[in-house]
Structures are given as structure tokens and as C-alpha cells.
Amino acid sequence: MAPLVPMSQPWVEKYRPRQVKDVAHQEEVIRVLTNTLQTADLPHMLFYGPPGTGKTTTALAIAHQLYGPELYKSRVLELNASDDRGINVVRTKIKDFAAVAVGTTRKAGYPCPPYKIIILDEADSMTEDAQNALRRTMETYSKVTRFFFICNYISRIIEPLASRCAKFRFKPLSEEVMSSRIMHICNEEGLNLDSQALSTLSAISQGDLRRAITYLQSAARLFGSSISPTDLISVSGVIPEDVVKSLLAACRSGEFDVANKEVSNIIAEGYPVSQLMAQFLDVIVSTDDIPDEQKARICKKLGETDKCLVDGADEYLQLLDVASETIRALFNMPQTLVF
Amino acid sequence: MLWVDKYRPKTLDKVTVHDQVAQNLRKLVSEQDCPHLLFYGPSGSGKKTLILALIKQMFGAGAEKVKMENKTWKIDTGTRTLEIELAMLSSAHHVEMNPSDAGFQDRYVVQEVIKEMAKNRPIDAKGKRAFKVLVLNEVDKLSREAQHSLRRTMEKYSASCRLILCCNSSSKVTEAVRSRCLNVRVNAPSEDQIVQVLEFIGKKENLQLPAGFAARIAAQSNRNLRRAILFFETCKVQQYPFTSNQAAPPLDWEQYVSEISTDILTEQSPKRLYAVRQKFYELLVNCIPPESILKKLLAELLKKLDADLKHEICHWAAHYEHKMRLGSKAIFHLEAFVAKFMSIYKEFLVASFG
């Protein structure tokens, strides 16, 4: 009989804060929500900010703290992009749920305010029609229902919805906050992480705590309990510095064929080009001996190319285009050929 | 059986090219718990081989008995019922499918199949793994909605189902999905590694390889191992014993594209453009992907051009390939590229030679 293995759980879920006060680094929203816990008074909420800053966590935590495990199922409706959220769902499911009045049954230890909560996660992927259909629903049933919208880009939420909510921006996590959280997990899991690895982890995850924890777990699975910076880089998909440097070196040579060869090499190695562009940008910007005008020209090209990649254009051709434009910029060749 | 299949490593121990990756995967499996995985790398680098070997390592021989079925999914969207038919390979432990074949309805397929798998969850019999594996191919071709709908589904059903995603370029997979997986980069094997593999096959098949023969095939294969092995087998069928300067014939369509490139270099006129159109149509009806045609054409042209022109041409190639992706009919954009090239080249000729 094999030993009973505990159900494996991603650390992201395992260490998700269960209480609002445990959410790191977002003071304003926590202050408002702890108030709510005492007064049971809650406006509609709109959380926005970059991924991995605790938006969903906060929403789930407040819902759990308000209702407790028993009432949670009947009082909270959680919808995200995995569920179908077209206009039909708004008209039927959400409306039906919102319309139901709630009793005042109380469970000991929880405030159990007399309204329900609908959490719309990843709300920026809802269609505009669906958002419009929500407007009136929100107002009509505001006595018995509160809405939580969660999104990355507030500009994708239509103005009428945004103006009905209390808006909270979630800041990217600072390095210290992130480090202390990571150290906490390392202690719990019995991992060895030196300060150098810790700063690498903060650097590659760019303020996204979920990403940092995922990297940490992947590295721990692959390399055991002591983790070095290179291990972290290899699981994160960040491209090693010298690859980016050698691309720039190839461009500096001024030879198209040299650059072409380097580009084919990078594609064959399977590095993701969008990631490469981001790092190439960093290298270009931080290089001292390239004049500003040339830098600007290269950066413009990078921007255009990024859009093309998002549209699904071929990686090889786009990277080659960037390399060729970089050569032309570095050697001050004109943008278009004039004969 | 083709050599490509015959000599595909069946277990992680036998993987020779990506032994480092294989070792890491073995470690993952031995730890009983396995995260979602995302394999990415150029084609012919061994992603599929690694995935199959990994599944075998997880579940033993049971995973090898696969059956192919055409399943019809009935999906209730509220207002109407959709019927989506999709081919899938399945065994007792895993299901493999290509959701992008469902076109714009891929979103429903992804949700439905994962939910169904989660429903009839395998029972934890004798310490076996209590989850199934779903292999999704070509995730980079999934629509944005489908990728979004993967996000939460992946987390929700992670107890009963592990996803293995496989794609060529991870740029086209949304950040949200990538950050939920353990990313495994599978690089194309180097030419030396290809030579080693070819020599290994040669030994197994009792073939005499003349010196430099394997290296030549490897160079021709563009670091694509599958292609190298196919070339190798073609050579074997064509002529054995091998002669010292034998080379694999280039692929038909590649030869055809290089003909096109000579065509447009020799004459730049509307008439020639019209002639080239016929050839493009010929290639397209034979199901050669348009972006491959464009890339090959660019490579052929770059061989024969001046350095200044190269920059210009590669810019326009990238430009028209992007347009092609946005548009729906490839022939327009291929033709536009050729027309653009002709005009630039003609101008260049007039300017330099009068």
C-alpha cells in the first residue's frame, strides 16, 4: 500500500490569505473593509490593478468573513471568465440571483449583513453589452445585492459601471513586502533561499506575488530545498542575459547575415520572442553608448512589433525585422530606401 | 513503421537529446504531485516525445493503449444547442486533443471536456494517481476567449485533472495561463545531436554511413530532428548503399518556392506577377501553410540580394505576414509581397544600372 499522499495543492492556493487583514501592502482597501466588518455597510466595489496583487483574494476573504462557511454558498455568487458571461447570463442568472431577498438569519461570530454579494472576476473580459445590461440591475437590487468587480484594466470597464462603485487601485507589491511573504512561505515549506536568490525572485516577478510563488514552487519541485538564482531563472522562462547581449552584439556588427543567423538561433532555441523583446528593450535603454535618437527609433520598432506579435504574427519574421531595424538605426541608415 | 515512430524514445530514461529536461520531469513524477505543464519549442524538437514518455512514466503501460474517437459535444449555451465534433485520442488515463480545430467554438470545448473529466474522476485504486491528464495541442492557436476560460478552470479542477499544454511559441499564450504552469522550454537539437541520433539509427538498422553523410543531412534539416530522420529514411529508400556525396532531395514545395524566387528576380512585370500567382495557388491548394511559403521565399530572396535591400525586404515580409494573420485570404498578401518586392527591386536596378 502506497503511503497516503496529501492532496497536492498549489502554494498560491495554500497560502492565499483567508482574512482581509492578512492581505499584504494594500492599506486603503483593507481599512475600508475592516470598517465594513464592524458596520456591515458596504458599497459596490471595483478593484483594479496588475495581476498578482491580491484583488481576488481580498474579495473572497471579505465574503468569507462576512458570511462564514455555511451561508457563503447561498449568499455569494462568483463568476469569472471561465463561466459564460454573455448578455444572456447577465439577464438571467445574475438578475435572478440579485433579485432574491435574503432573510436575517444570523450565524454566531459572523456579521451576516442583509445582502448578497456577486463577485465578477476578470470583469474586463465582459462584453460592453453585458456591462450595459448590468447598469440598471445594480441599482434596482442595491438593497439586497452588492457587486464586486475585479479587473486588470479599469479603462475596459464602461464609465456608468465604474461611477457606481467605490474604486480601489491595487499597487504592485514592493520588494520588502514580497520578500517577507516569500520568506514566510520558505519557512513553512522548509526551503533554503539565500538573499541573492530572493532578490532575483523579486526582480523576475515584477511585483506579481502569484508569479513569485509559482516560480518558487516550480523551482522547489525541480531542484529540491535549496534554490539558487539560476534555478529560478530557468523555471521562470526569463531569457539568460547573454542571449540578449549576443543579439545586440550581432546587430552592432552591421552585417545583416550575422544578425539573421543569430535570430534563427534564438528561434531554434525556443525562447519566447515577446519575452526577448522586453529584455532587449531593457538592454537598449540601459546601454550608454547609443545616442537617444537611435534608441528612440529602436524602441518605436519594438512597440510596433509587440502589437504584431499580439496579433499572432510569425516570431521569426518579426524578430528579424527588429534586428534589421536595429542595425539600420545604429548605422543611421534611412528608414526607407531612396534611390 | 516509419523510423520516426520506431525510434521515438518510449520512456524518459531513453530520451537522449533532452536528457536534462527528461531528468527534471522524472523528478516531478517521482514526487507524486505534478503541476500543470506547458511545453514550448520549435517543431521537430521533441515536445510530443517528451509528453508521451512523461505520461507513460506516470501511468505505466496502461497509457499506451490509446483509441481514437470522434466525439460530438452537445453544448447548451442557453439559447441554442451547439454540436461540435472533435477527434480525440484517449486512454484510461489521458485524453489528447486539438481544441483549436473547433475554430471559434474552441472555448466551449475546453470548458466542457475539462468539466466532464472532473466529473468522472478515476478512483484512487492502488496508490495510483487520482487524476487524469489532458493534453492540449497547439494552444497558441486557441482563441483569446478560450485561453481566458482556461485560467480559472485550471485552478478549480486541479485536483482531478492535470493539463499538459503544447505549443510552438509561448508568446501567443496569455500570461495568465503561462503563470499557472511550469514552463518547459524544449530547444531544437543542435546539429551534433542530430548527427548522433542518425548514427544511432544507422547502427540499429545495420547501415553503413559514409563519412560526413549524417552531418550533411543534419545541416539540411534546419535543426528539425523529425525532418532529419525522414530525410535519412528517404535517402535509404532512394539508394543504398549510400554514396559518399548523396544528399537528400529538397522537399517538393521548397523547390517550387525557390523557382518562384528565381522567377521574380529575373523579371519584374505584371505578366510575371500573374504567372507567379498560379504557382502560389498551386502551393496553397496543396495545403502548404502560407506563412511557411512566405518565410521560405524570403530566405531564398535573401540569398541573392544586396545588404541594403535585405533590410527593406525583411521589413516588408514581416509586414505582410502580419497583415496575412489579420486578414482571411492568404493569396492577397503573398501577392502583395511579391508586387512590393518587384517594385523595390526594379527601382534598385534602374538606379544602379540605369
Side-chain angles (χ1 to χ4, degrees):
Chain A
M1 181 82 194
L4 239 165
V5 187
M7 193 51 84
S8 63
Q9 203 181 13
W11 292 355
V12 181
E13 295 294 326
K14 195 169 166 189
Y15 295 100
R16 203 188 265 279
R18 305 275 178 255
Q19 300 208 316
V20 173
K21 66 175 165 44
D22 294 337
V23 175
H25 199 56
Q26 316 292 352
E27 292 80 15
E28 298 99 346
V29 66
I30 289 167
R31 207 168 332 121
V32 172
L33 288 178
T34 28
N35 245 339
T36 304
L37 280 177
Q38 282 143 19
T39 62
D41 183 24
L42 186 70
H44 296 302
M45 294 283 209
L46 172 59
F47 295 161
Y48 64 101
T53 48
K55 301 179 295 294
T56 312
T57 305
T58 313
L60 291 178
I62 185 77
H64 275 288
Q65 275 183 288
L66 282 174
Y67 300 111
E70 277 175 54
L71 274 179
Y72 183 82
K73 279 218 169 101
S74 61
R75 292 288 183 91
V76 180
L77 177 67
E78 192 194 337
L79 289 173
N80 54 53
S82 320
D83 309 298
D84 194 10
R85 281 190 311 193
I87 190 158
N88 277 320
V89 175
V90 173
R91 284 195 184 131
T92 55
K93 200 171 168 188
I94 294 184
K95 210 166 171 185
D96 289 350
F97 185 83
V100 178
V102 286
T104 45
T105 41
R106 285 196 164 242
K107 292 276 176 255
Y110 294 102
C112 297
Y115 46 76
K116 300 173 299 314
I117 290 181
I118 297 181
I119 300 175
L120 291 169
D121 206 343
E122 293 146 27
D124 38 7
S125 66
M126 286 173 80
T127 60
E128 201 157 303
D129 288 345
Q131 293 189 33
N132 271 317
L134 267 179
R135 292 162 62 168
R136 193 65 194 146
T137 314
M138 275 176 81
E139 282 175 351
T140 325
Y141 304 112
S142 63
K143 258 198 182 141
V144 285
T145 307
R146 295 289 183 277
F147 282 86
F148 277 59
F149 295 97
I150 301 175
C151 62
N152 292 133
Y153 305 104
I154 195 173
S155 49
R156 303 246 179 93
I157 302 290
I158 58 169
E159 184 52 37
L161 277 195
S163 69
R164 283 173 172 80
C165 300
K167 282 175 247 168
F168 291 99
R169 193 175 87 87
F170 280 63
K171 307 184 278 282
L173 272 67
S174 70
E175 202 156 314
E176 302 94 69
V177 178
M178 185 115 94
S179 307
S180 74
R181 200 69 206 163
I182 296 286
M183 282 321 281
H184 167 72
I185 294 176
C186 287
N187 286 339
E188 295 276 307
E189 296 287 335
L191 291 180
N192 246 329
L193 205 63
D194 54 30
S195 61
Q196 207 187 348
L198 197 61
S199 63
T200 316
L201 188 57
S202 317
I204 56 180
S205 51
Q206 293 168 344
D208 181 342
L209 188 57
R210 179 176 49 213
R211 201 161 8 152
I213 297 176
T214 315
Y215 290 160
L216 187 68
Q217 188 176 16
S218 317
R221 270 173 177 148
L222 285 179
F223 305 103
S225 60
S226 55
I227 297 166
S228 71
T230 40
D231 297 342
L232 285 169
I233 286 180
S234 77
V235 293
S236 67
V238 172
I239 296 163
E241 195 78 337
D242 40 333
V243 174
V244 188
K245 288 256 165 69
S246 69
L247 178 65
L248 183 60
C251 292
R252 276 175 190 275
S253 77
E255 295 282 333
F256 181 84
D257 293 328
V258 176
N260 190 1
K261 196 145 179 250
E262 190 62 40
V263 168
S264 324
N265 237 340
I266 289 174
I267 298 292
E269 286 297 317
Y271 293 115
V273 172
S274 55
Q275 175 70 33
L276 182 74
M277 301 277 206
Q279 288 181 251
F280 192 62
L281 177 70
D282 287 344
V283 171
I284 291 285
V285 170
S286 61
T287 309
D288 293 326
D289 58 347
I290 301 178
D292 285 352
E293 200 182 327
Q294 295 181 0
K295 278 187 187 174
R297 202 170 144 188
I298 298 170
C299 293
K300 180 164 171 263
K301 185 79 219 170
L302 283 171
E304 287 165 10
T305 310
D306 188 56
K307 159 72 176 142
C308 293
L309 282 177
V310 169
D311 288 339
D314 187 82
E315 295 196 315
Y316 167 73
L317 291 175
Q318 293 299 329
L319 188 58
L320 189 61
D321 193 17
V322 167
S324 118
E325 180 67 22
T326 310
I327 294 177
R328 288 206 269 185
L330 289 176
F331 289 85
N332 285 323
M333 295 185 211
Q335 193 112 36
T336 46
L337 272 186
V338 191
F339 298 105
Chain B
M1 205 201 273
L2 285 174
W3 289 354
V4 181
D5 294 320
K6 195 167 164 192
Y7 293 104
R8 188 192 279 267
K10 296 284 186 306
T11 59
L12 287 177
D13 305 290
K14 291 210 181 112
V15 172
T16 47
V17 179
H18 299 286
D19 48 347
Q20 193 59 45
V21 178
Q23 229 171 56
N24 285 341
L25 289 177
R26 207 157 46 226
K27 226 180 285 173
L28 276 185
V29 175
S30 65
E31 273 180 20
Q32 288 279 323
D33 98 282
C34 173
H36 300 300
L37 293 167
L38 171 69
F39 286 81
Y40 62 96
S43 58
S45 59
K47 302 180 291 292
K48 214 38 168 312
T49 308
L50 282 171
I51 292 175
L52 290 179
L54 176 70
I55 291 175
K56 173 128 193 263
Q57 188 96 9
M58 278 184 193
F59 299 111
E64 270 186 80
K65 285 190 204 110
V66 288
K67 62 173 194 280
M68 169 104 178
E69 56 180 330
N70 256 330
K71 198 163 176 180
T72 315
W73 305 91
K74 282 217 171 67
I75 291 149
D76 190 18
T77 55
T79 44
R80 67 212 161 101
T81 335
L82 291 175
E83 278 198 22
I84 299 169
E85 201 180 302
L86 207 63
M88 51 194 244
L89 277 175
S90 60
S91 77
H93 303 288
H94 84 285
V95 176
E96 184 184 334
M97 59 196 300
N98 209 344
S100 58
D101 287 350
F104 65 97
Q105 289 162 333
D106 50 3
R107 173 164 62 118
Y108 301 111
V109 176
V110 169
Q111 281 173 28
E112 207 60 25
V113 70
I114 296 179
K115 280 181 189 160
E116 179 160 307
M117 272 173 101
K119 262 184 231 152
N120 36 29
R121 181 169 154 195
I123 304 157
D124 197 347
K126 18 184 188 339
K128 281 276 172 58
R129 290 175 173 74
F131 56 79
K132 277 182 130 190
V133 170
L134 174 63
V135 182
L136 297 179
N137 289 324
E138 298 183 3
V139 269
D140 44 354
K141 296 216 178 90
L142 278 181
S143 66
R144 217 125 268 261
E145 290 81 41
Q147 293 193 22
H148 273 302
S149 69
L150 265 181
R151 296 164 64 158
R152 190 67 191 152
T153 324
M154 280 168 89
E155 285 176 354
K156 228 170 171 175
Y157 298 107
S158 68
S160 55
C161 146
R162 289 299 130 86
L163 292 179
I164 298 184
L165 310 174
C166 178
C167 66
N168 281 137
S169 70
S170 74
S171 302
K172 288 175 205 163
V173 181
T174 55
E175 181 57 48
V177 172
R178 258 186 291 159
S179 75
R180 282 168 175 77
C181 299
L182 177 56
N183 295 6
V184 182
R185 181 170 62 87
V186 184
N187 59 337
S190 68
E191 287 186 9
D192 293 341
Q193 283 171 323
I194 293 182
V195 169
Q196 274 171 22
V197 172
L198 292 181
E199 276 168 359
F200 169 77
I201 294 177
K203 212 157 77 196
K204 287 265 171 181
E205 292 282 325
N206 277 327
L207 302 176
Q208 294 293 326
L209 297 186
F213 179 69
R216 218 163 35 243
I217 291 185
Q220 212 180 349
S221 68
N222 249 337
R223 295 180 70 180
N224 182 334
L225 186 55
R226 178 177 37 226
R227 198 189 256 198
I229 297 176
L230 284 173
F231 273 150
F232 188 39
E233 196 168 1
T234 323
C235 287
K236 159 83 187 350
V237 174
Q238 226 170 25
Q239 191 181 21
Y240 185 76
F242 300 121
T243 54
S244 55
N245 56 357
Q246 186 181 350
L251 296 177
D252 294 349
W253 71 270
E254 294 197 336
Q255 207 162 8
Y256 210 68
V257 173
S258 72
E259 272 171 34
I260 293 179
S261 83
T262 0
D263 279 354
I264 58 182
L265 280 169
T266 44
E267 188 187 327
Q268 299 83 35
S269 66
K271 202 171 136 218
R272 186 47 65 91
L273 186 61
Y274 185 71
V276 166
R277 168 191 289 175
Q278 309 296 338
K279 295 196 170 179
F280 277 138
Y281 265 125
E282 184 93 350
L283 285 169
L284 288 173
V285 294
N286 281 308
C287 292
I288 308 292
E291 56 272 13
S292 305
I293 300 177
L294 190 63
K295 268 202 286 194
K296 183 70 193 162
L297 185 59
L298 176 70
E300 289 294 327
L301 291 173
L302 286 181
K303 279 184 202 161
K304 297 166 190 158
L305 287 178
D306 274 24
D308 292 355
L309 281 178
K310 281 181 185 171
H311 293 297
E312 196 67 18
I313 298 307
C314 92
H315 168 70
W316 287 111
H319 176 84
Y320 285 112
E321 200 274 339
H322 175 221
K323 292 259 146 122
M324 189 153 78
R325 200 64 67 143
L326 296 177
S328 55
K329 224 165 146 47
I331 186 78
F332 294 146
H333 308 282
L334 287 175
E335 253 182 20
F337 173 67
V338 171
K340 187 82 196 170
F341 173 78
M342 282 181 171
S343 98
I344 293 173
Y345 194 62
K346 188 100 185 176
E347 230 175 296
F348 168 73
L349 287 181
V350 170
S352 3
F353 306 113

Coordinates of all heavy atoms in Angstrom, one line a residue, chain A residues 7-34:
Chain A
M7 N -3.5 15.7 -0.6 CA -3.9 16.2 -1.9 C -3.0 17.4 -2.2 O -2.8 18.4 -1.4 CB -5.3 16.7 -1.8 CG -5.9 17.0 -3.1 SD -5.7 15.7 -4.3 CE -7.1 14.7 -3.9
S8 N -2.3 17.3 -3.3 CA -1.4 18.4 -3.6 C -2.1 19.6 -4.0 O -3.2 19.6 -4.6 CB -0.5 18.0 -4.8 OG -1.4 17.8 -5.9
Q9 N -1.6 20.7 -3.6 CA -2.3 22.0 -3.7 C -1.3 23.0 -4.2 O -0.2 23.0 -3.6 CB -2.9 22.4 -2.4 CG -4.1 23.3 -2.6 CD -4.6 23.7 -1.2 OE1 -4.0 23.4 -0.2 NE2 -5.8 24.3 -1.2
P10 N -1.6 23.8 -5.1 CA -0.6 24.9 -5.5 C -0.4 25.8 -4.2 O -1.4 26.1 -3.5 CB -1.3 25.6 -6.6 CG -2.3 24.8 -7.1 CD -2.8 23.9 -6.0
W11 N 0.8 26.2 -4.1 CA 1.1 27.1 -2.9 C 0.3 28.4 -3.0 O 0.0 29.0 -2.0 CB 2.6 27.4 -2.8 CG 3.4 26.1 -2.5 CD1 2.8 24.9 -2.1 CD2 4.8 26.0 -2.4 NE1 3.9 24.0 -1.9 CE2 5.1 24.7 -2.0 CE3 5.8 26.9 -2.6 CZ2 6.3 24.2 -1.9 CZ3 7.1 26.5 -2.5 CH2 7.4 25.1 -2.1
V12 N 0.0 28.8 -4.2 CA -0.7 30.0 -4.4 C -2.1 29.9 -3.6 O -2.5 30.8 -3.0 CB -1.0 30.3 -5.9 CG1 -1.7 31.6 -6.0 CG2 0.3 30.3 -6.6
E13 N -2.7 28.7 -3.8 CA -4.0 28.5 -3.1 C -3.7 28.3 -1.6 O -4.5 28.8 -0.7 CB -4.7 27.3 -3.6 CG -5.1 27.5 -5.1 CD -6.2 28.5 -5.2 OE1 -7.0 28.7 -4.3 OE2 -6.2 29.2 -6.3
K14 N -2.7 27.5 -1.3 CA -2.4 27.1 0.1 C -2.2 28.3 1.0 O -2.6 28.4 2.1 CB -1.2 26.2 0.1 CG -1.0 25.4 1.4 CD 0.1 24.4 1.1 CE 0.6 23.8 2.4 NZ 1.8 22.9 2.1
Y15 N -1.4 29.3 0.4 CA -1.1 30.5 1.2 C -1.9 31.7 0.9 O -1.5 32.8 1.1 CB 0.4 30.8 1.1 CG 1.3 29.7 1.6 CD1 1.8 28.7 0.8 CD2 1.5 29.6 3.0 CE1 2.6 27.7 1.3 CE2 2.2 28.5 3.5 CZ 2.8 27.6 2.7 OH 3.5 26.6 3.2
R16 N -3.0 31.5 0.2 CA -3.9 32.6 0.0 C -4.4 33.1 1.3 O -5.0 32.4 2.1 CB -5.1 32.1 -0.9 CG -5.8 33.2 -1.7 CD -7.0 32.6 -2.3 NE -6.8 32.2 -3.7 CZ -6.8 32.9 -4.8 NH1 -6.9 34.2 -4.6 NH2 -6.6 32.4 -6.0
P17 N -4.3 34.4 1.6 CA -4.8 34.9 2.9 C -6.3 34.7 3.0 O -7.0 34.9 2.1 CB -4.5 36.4 2.8 CG -3.4 36.6 1.8 CD -3.6 35.5 0.8
R18 N -6.7 34.2 4.2 CA -8.1 33.9 4.5 C -8.8 35.1 5.0 O -10.0 35.1 5.1 CB -8.2 32.7 5.4 CG -7.5 31.5 5.0 CD -8.3 30.6 4.0 NE -7.5 29.5 3.6 CZ -7.0 29.4 2.4 NH1 -7.2 30.3 1.5 NH2 -6.3 28.3 2.1
Q19 N -8.0 36.0 5.6 CA -8.7 37.2 6.2 C -8.2 38.5 5.6 O -7.1 38.6 5.1 CB -8.3 37.2 7.7 CG -8.8 35.9 8.4 CD -9.0 36.2 9.9 OE1 -8.2 36.9 10.5 NE2 -10.1 35.7 10.3
V20 N -9.1 39.4 5.6 CA -8.8 40.7 4.9 C -7.5 41.3 5.5 O -6.7 41.8 4.8 CB -10.0 41.7 5.0 CG1 -9.6 43.0 4.5 CG2 -11.1 41.1 4.2
K21 N -7.4 41.2 6.8 CA -6.2 41.9 7.4 C -4.9 41.3 7.0 O -3.9 41.9 7.2 CB -6.4 42.0 8.9 CG -6.4 40.7 9.6 CD -6.4 40.9 11.1 CE -6.7 39.7 12.0 NZ -6.0 38.5 11.7
D22 N -4.9 40.1 6.5 CA -3.7 39.4 6.1 C -3.2 39.8 4.7 O -2.1 39.5 4.3 CB -3.8 37.9 6.2 CG -4.0 37.4 7.6 OD1 -3.6 38.2 8.5 OD2 -4.6 36.3 7.7
V23 N -4.0 40.5 4.0 CA -3.6 40.9 2.6 C -2.5 41.9 2.7 O -2.6 42.9 3.4 CB -4.8 41.4 1.8 CG1 -4.4 41.9 0.5 CG2 -5.9 40.4 1.7
A24 N -1.5 41.6 1.9 CA -0.3 42.5 2.1 C -0.3 43.7 1.3 O -0.9 43.7 0.2 CB 1.0 41.6 1.6
H25 N 0.1 44.8 1.8 CA 0.5 46.0 1.1 C -0.6 46.9 0.5 O -0.4 47.8 -0.2 CB 1.4 45.6 -0.1 CG 2.2 46.7 -0.7 ND1 3.0 47.5 0.1 CD2 2.3 47.2 -1.9 CE1 3.6 48.4 -0.7 NE2 3.2 48.3 -1.9
Q26 N -1.9 46.5 0.8 CA -3.0 47.3 0.2 C -3.8 48.0 1.4 O -4.9 47.6 1.7 CB -3.9 46.5 -0.6 CG -3.3 45.5 -1.5 CD -2.5 46.2 -2.7 OE1 -2.6 47.4 -2.9 NE2 -1.7 45.4 -3.4
E27 N -3.2 49.1 2.0 CA -3.7 49.6 3.2 C -5.1 50.2 3.1 O -6.0 49.9 3.9 CB -2.8 50.7 3.8 CG -1.4 50.1 4.3 CD -0.4 49.9 3.2 OE1 -0.7 50.5 2.1 OE2 0.5 49.2 3.4
E28 N -5.3 51.0 2.0 CA -6.6 51.7 2.0 C -7.8 50.8 1.9 O -8.7 50.9 2.7 CB -6.7 52.6 0.7 CG -5.7 53.7 0.6 CD -4.5 53.3 -0.3 OE1 -4.4 52.1 -0.6 OE2 -3.7 54.1 -0.7
V29 N -7.7 49.8 1.0 CA -8.8 48.9 0.9 C -9.1 48.1 2.1 O -10.2 47.9 2.5 CB -8.7 48.1 -0.4 CG1 -7.5 47.1 -0.3 CG2 -9.9 47.3 -0.7
I30 N -8.0 47.8 2.8 CA -8.1 47.0 4.0 C -8.8 47.8 5.1 O -9.7 47.3 5.8 CB -6.8 46.4 4.4 CG1 -6.3 45.4 3.4 CG2 -6.8 45.9 5.8 CD1 -4.9 45.0 3.6
R31 N -8.4 49.1 5.1 CA -9.0 49.9 6.2 C -10.6 50.0 5.9 O -11.4 49.8 6.8 CB -8.4 51.3 6.1 CG -8.5 52.0 7.5 CD -7.6 53.2 7.6 NE -6.5 53.3 6.7 CZ -6.2 54.2 5.8 NH1 -7.1 55.1 5.6 NH2 -5.1 54.2 5.1
V32 N -10.9 50.2 4.7 CA -12.4 50.3 4.4 C -13.1 49.0 4.7 O -14.2 49.0 5.3 CB -12.5 50.7 2.9 CG1 -14.0 50.6 2.5 CG2 -12.0 52.0 2.6
L33 N -12.5 47.9 4.3 CA -13.2 46.6 4.5 C -13.2 46.2 6.0 O -14.2 45.6 6.4 CB -12.5 45.6 3.7 CG -12.7 45.7 2.2 CD1 -12.0 44.7 1.4 CD2 -14.2 45.7 1.8
T34 N -12.2 46.5 6.8 CA -12.3 46.2 8.2 C -13.4 47.0 8.8 O -14.1 46.5 9.7 CB -11.0 46.4 8.9 OG1 -10.3 47.4 8.3 CG2 -10.1 45.2 9.0

